[in-house]
Amino acid sequence: MTRPIAHPLLLAAVLLTLLAGSLAAWAGWSWYGAAHEDSGGYAAERDEVLAAGEQAVQNLNTLDHRRLSGGLDLWEQSTTGELHEQLVGGRADFEKQVEQAKTVTTARVLSGAVTELDDRAGKARVLIALRVTVRAPEGEPSDKDSRMVGELTRTAGDWKLSALGQAPVGDTATG
Amino acid sequence: MSTTRHHLNRQRRLSAARTVRAETPPTRSAAPASTTAPGSLGTLPAPGAPGTEPEEAADARLRGESPQAEPPPEPGGTRSEAEAPQGEEPQSKSKSKSGSEPEEPGPEPGKPAAPTAAAPTRTPRLLLAVLGILTLLLGAFAGLGFSRSAALEDDPAGRNTALTDLARTSEVKGKAGELVGSLFSYDYADPDKAAEAAATLLTGKAVDQHRALLADVRAQAPKQKLVLTTTVTDSAVERIEGDRARVLVYADQAGVSTAGGPAKSKPKKQSGKDEQPDAKDGKDAAGSDSTEGGASYAGAVFTLDLLHKDGRWLVSGIDTFGS
């Protein structure tokens, strides 16, 4: 210190420290940037919506007549709003139907994607292609593919289905 | 041997005298630690009397190692550090270094081992230690920061720019609609148009996939005078990563056969099936096919992989979820 020239090692150490300091600053900056990037949060929300939508649509296409109560509870847990009310309202009748038919319905998501996402309003729209397999006591199990269009609403931090339907056919075709 | 050493020593002495001057007079080694230390250690926060002796003993020991760590071509003060081990034999000859003889038994605490030489080194040592720790901490933080930011940027959610890049998303959606219209429509009267579309809009494995999907349509279209028109009714972009994208497509296939009334709906359905067999089956089962005004409609579902190449979007894969 009193003779700085006498300590090139010290000088080198200071330079190294400065270098490490600037690297640390750079790293901190890019870390902060990556963590607070808006599109990152939006992208995460998009993926969350898709995951919730796929799970909910699958839930609503899955039902085992031997475990009706649990299955229908799951339907109700996966939904909100009008769809939820419809399911709750129609539950008793539906239970009877399924008990008589003794069907086991399973579903597999073929593909899905989010078409719209308003993360402020907490609304989203998803397309989910589904393969539904119905096994009745008699006969072969039947597969059918469904082109579902779902609307999700964020409730208490969770995304739940608020509307679900099949994509219409023939509406927009002009020949 | 002795001559070179002597020469070296003289050089050291001269340079030391030049740089060290008043602080280190030729007789410095004779001075007790307590008197020299304060002078050269003025800036050190802890040159306290109680610690002096052991510390300097430790310094002397450390100095034994120092020549390896420090760059060799150093004049002045650092040279004096380096003398400690070297100076053992030859320095005894030079009078200014006479004091360095006691350095040999460095570990002995009682003898102040070259206190003046130790004094200037203590400040940088402590500083070096602080700087070293600081460097390590900063370096560790930098490493952590970079790895975390890389992890965040590598996050699949972040890489996929579907919806987050709205312009690109709508571009991909629009292109998917155009491509589906061109690739999955067929006019028996103008087969070249379909062939050209297939030749220019497909790449990779999509070429074979498309050929297989349209094989029956191509075979039957002339007989049935079939005009198949495929229109995207809804689509959603699953992923966009740079030049690659994947789109989930819901499409209507409208078939018009002018060959005969009863044959109409069936061939159309078949053609639809050929394109998207599973989707078609599903639609049939779901009852989503409809026949209106002599044309039949079939709903199809499939995903398209798109590749942006030379400024154009091409279809690089078609998945109809066939089992």
Side-chain angles (χ1 to χ4, degrees):
Chain A
M1 281 189 35
T2 45
R3 289 162 291 163
I5 315 148
H7 301 292
L9 185 63
L10 186 61
L11 186 70
V14 169
L15 287 177
L16 261 179
T17 309
L18 286 176
L19 181 70
S22 44
L23 273 175
W26 182 15
W29 179 256
S30 63
W31 185 3
Y32 181 90
H36 291 77
E37 201 180 342
D38 199 35
S39 67
Y42 189 76
E45 184 109 69
R46 174 202 62 207
D47 290 358
E48 196 184 314
V49 163
L50 182 61
E54 288 184 346
Q55 186 62 58
V57 169
Q58 186 172 15
N59 289 349
L60 290 191
N61 284 278
T62 302
L63 197 62
D64 186 336
H65 69 95
R66 291 160 297 188
R67 288 186 287 274
L68 257 188
S69 165
L72 290 174
D73 286 347
L74 191 58
W75 284 27
E76 288 172 14
Q77 285 163 24
S78 306
T79 53
T80 185
E82 225 172 282
L83 181 61
H84 181 77
E85 284 160 27
Q86 284 171 16
L87 291 176
V88 172
R91 178 164 177 156
D93 286 347
F94 192 74
E95 274 180 350
K96 262 183 233 161
Q97 287 175 26
V98 177
E99 272 168 3
Q100 282 173 2
K102 297 197 187 309
T103 49
V104 177
T105 309
T106 55
R108 180 167 70 89
V109 172
L110 298 173
S111 191
V114 181
T115 58
E116 291 159 31
L117 168 59
D118 184 341
D119 59 345
R120 289 199 180 178
K123 288 276 181 189
R125 182 175 176 272
V126 295
L127 300 191
I128 292 165
L130 203 67
R131 179 158 299 159
V132 181
T133 305
V134 180
R135 287 179 184 81
E138 289 139 30
E140 290 289 296
S142 70
D143 277 0
K144 68 166 191 173
D145 288 1
S146 290
R147 308 188 304 172
M148 308 303 294
V149 180
E151 182 197 275
L152 290 107
T153 303
R154 189 170 50 210
T155 54
D158 286 336
W159 288 92
K160 293 187 175 182
L161 269 183
S162 47
L164 185 64
Q166 299 245 359
V169 176
D171 279 4
T172 59
T174 52
Chain B
M1 203 179 136
S2 62
T3 47
T4 35
R5 275 185 189 164
H6 185 77
H7 178 68
L8 279 172
N9 284 331
R10 203 177 57 190
Q11 277 190 324
R12 284 195 204 117
R13 234 179 304 132
L14 287 171
S15 61
R18 245 183 282 122
T19 50
V20 180
R21 276 186 224 152
E23 277 179 44
T24 52
T27 56
R28 57 186 175 152
S29 56
S34 55
T35 53
T36 43
S40 49
L41 294 175
T43 47
L44 242 189
T52 331
E53 278 188 9
E55 272 175 28
E56 285 183 3
D59 272 344
R61 254 174 274 128
L62 278 171
R63 257 182 293 123
E65 301 157 13
S66 66
Q68 303 153 2
E70 286 170 63
E74 284 169 13
T78 38
R79 256 301 184 241
S80 64
E81 293 174 28
E83 276 169 24
Q86 293 170 351
E88 288 168 6
E89 317 102 29
Q91 273 170 7
S92 58
K93 291 171 190 169
S94 62
K95 45 178 179 169
S96 71
K97 301 294 169 184
S98 60
S100 56
E101 275 183 83
E103 275 185 339
E104 293 173 50
E108 285 179 36
K111 295 182 184 177
T116 44
T121 66
R122 281 183 62 188
T123 305
R125 271 191 198 295
L126 209 137
L127 245 169
L128 280 175
V130 170
L131 286 172
I133 290 166
L134 203 60
T135 305
L136 281 177
L137 287 176
L138 288 167
F141 177 81
L144 178 71
F146 281 129
S147 75
R148 291 309 300 265
S149 70
L152 284 167
E153 276 157 20
D154 271 9
D155 178 20
R159 266 200 322 257
N160 176 6
T161 58
L163 282 187
T164 61
D165 185 343
L166 280 176
R168 190 79 158 170
T169 303
S170 64
E171 180 194 345
V172 165
K173 270 181 100 157
K175 277 295 162 194
E178 287 175 29
L179 289 165
V180 167
S182 303
L183 287 167
F184 295 106
S185 296
Y186 197 89
D187 185 346
Y188 75 98
D190 190 5
D192 290 347
K193 193 180 168 190
E196 195 198 329
T200 56
L201 302 177
L202 296 167
T203 185
K205 61 183 188 297
V207 175
D208 288 338
Q209 290 168 335
H210 180 263
R211 186 182 298 134
L213 288 169
L214 282 192
D216 283 5
V217 173
R218 269 197 302 273
Q220 294 178 20
K223 280 177 263 169
Q224 295 168 357
K225 300 196 173 176
L226 177 68
V227 178
L228 178 73
T229 307
T230 303
T231 313
V232 172
T233 54
D234 211 338
S235 65
V237 180
E238 287 181 27
R239 313 191 59 78
I240 302 176
E241 282 181 31
D243 288 341
R244 296 186 172 273
R246 173 176 282 228
V247 187
L248 174 60
V249 175
Y250 292 176
D252 270 3
Q253 294 181 300
V256 178
S257 171
T258 51
K264 266 183 195 169
S265 65
K266 204 185 172 189
K268 287 158 208 156
K269 268 192 194 170
Q270 277 180 351
S271 64
K273 263 185 195 171
D274 295 330
E275 284 193 40
Q276 277 82 41
D278 295 294
K280 221 71 334 212
D281 289 341
K283 248 75 264 155
D284 291 349
S288 56
D289 286 356
S290 60
T291 305
E292 296 165 16
S296 77
Y297 295 95
V301 55
F302 52 94
T303 62
L304 282 188
D305 288 323
L306 301 182
L307 174 66
H308 196 239
K309 200 169 154 188
D310 301 329
R312 296 190 314 146
W313 284 99
L314 303 174
V315 174
S316 61
I318 306 162
D319 185 1
T320 56
F321 313 116
S323 47

